[in-house]
Each structure stands twice: as structure tokens, then as C-alpha cells.
Amino acid sequence: MAKRIGVYPGTFDPITLGHMDIIERGAKLVDELIIGVTTNIAKSPMFNDDERIAMVEREVASIGNGKIRVVGFNSLLMDFADAMGASVVIRGIRGVTDFEYEYQLTGMNRQLNHEVETVFLMADVALQPIASRLVKEIAVYGGEISKFVSPAVRNDVVARIGKR
């Protein structure tokens, strides 16, 4: 039987506890989970590609028993999935708004590569409101973000804001 490889794509700017929940649960569904760190041209990232990749690698180092890999990419998701040999794309859903966007994206991706299935995982109820964009906004205005990110990520964000 072929190895089942899954891809979990995102900007992870920064990686949140919500992302970690999806990573931990998604890793149980596949033999290997590749976290694809990309840049969304519609967003202006707080951290550059290399910083985000290193941050995600640090955060996932202690989970997944070696079946999680972090890879940067700047291409169509279906091209990345194909290059990684993935048959599954894992997407986290927080609510109806996420679902509508992801539903449309999945339809487009199926047109590009019908061999790759998309699996939606609902975020844990306690983590559903967390969004990287909101974490950054709270931090910029001096709010405490430790409920939303790991201590190391909190320190990264606070240090970055201090440099601005």
C-alpha cells in the first residue's frame, strides 16, 4: 500500500494554537504530514518566509513522531501537493466564513488536480476564534496573546513588534 502523504498549507504568520490543533489531528490521518509554509500575496507578513519556516519547525519538533515535515513553497497548492506526492490536503475550518472560502477553493483545486482530496477539520471549539491576523493586531496594540500562541511564538511576536 502506498504511503498516504498529506499537505497542510498556510502562511502561519504566526503559527497559533489553532494551527497546532489541526496539525496534531491531521497527522493522525496520514503517514506523513507536510506543512507547506507559503506567502499569501494578499497579506503583508510580520515574519519572512525563512522565519516562519523556522518557527513552524520549532513548534512541531516535539509532535508527530517524525512524521511531520515543514517545507516552504511559492506555487499553486495543487502543484505543491503533486511535487510532494500528496493525495490529501488538510484544511482547518473555524466557522461558516472559512467554510465558504474553503469550499470555493476546493472546487477550483479539484479542477486543477482531481487526484488530490481535501479534508476539512473543524477547529477545537476553544480555539475557533483564533486567527493569526487577530493575534498580530492584539499584540500590536499591547494586548496579551499568550492564550492564542505558544510562549516561544509570543516572544517572537513581542520581539518583532519591539523592532517596529
Side-chain angles (χ1 to χ4, degrees):
M1 187 168 163
K3 185 176 181 180
R4 183 175 303 139
I5 298 172
V7 171
Y8 176 43
T11 53
F12 305 103
D13 186 49
I15 187 168
T16 68
L17 298 179
H19 292 129
M20 292 299 295
D21 173 57
I22 299 299
I23 290 167
E24 289 176 25
R25 292 169 45 221
K28 294 175 185 174
L29 302 176
V30 293
D31 299 312
E32 179 182 12
L33 180 61
I34 299 169
I35 302 171
V37 179
T38 190
T39 300
N40 183 334
I41 57 173
K43 299 177 182 177
S44 52
M46 178 177 277
F47 298 96
N48 69 36
D49 292 355
D50 292 335
E51 290 169 328
R52 287 181 288 113
I53 290 167
M55 186 184 297
V56 173
E57 286 176 333
R58 180 190 67 214
E59 295 300 306
V60 302
S62 64
I63 63 171
N65 295 326
K67 66 190 268 181
I68 298 174
R69 190 164 43 121
V70 181
V71 177
F73 78 102
N74 279 313
S75 64
L76 288 173
L77 174 57
M78 290 296 102
D79 290 344
F80 177 68
D82 191 48
M84 296 292 106
S87 59
V88 176
V89 171
I90 295 173
R91 301 296 291 171
I93 302 287
R94 292 174 299 203
V96 174
T97 306
D98 280 354
F99 179 77
E100 288 187 13
Y101 172 75
E102 294 295 341
Y103 180 80
Q104 183 178 19
L105 191 62
T106 298
M108 296 296 285
N109 285 338
R110 291 281 298 167
Q111 295 295 317
L112 296 172
N113 186 341
H114 67 278
E115 298 294 319
V116 177
E117 292 293 339
T118 300
V119 174
F120 298 120
L121 293 178
M122 290 300 299
D124 182 276
V125 174
L127 303 173
Q128 284 180 1
I130 301 173
S132 294
R133 177 184 54 80
L134 297 175
V135 169
K136 290 184 288 191
E137 188 174 324
I138 290 166
V140 164
Y141 288 105
E144 183 51 57
I145 60 172
S146 60
K147 292 179 183 177
F148 314 119
V149 296
S150 73
V153 171
R154 179 203 170 276
N155 292 342
D156 291 341
V157 172
V158 168
R160 179 55 45 94
I161 290 170
K163 290 181 181 179
R164 288 186 168 187

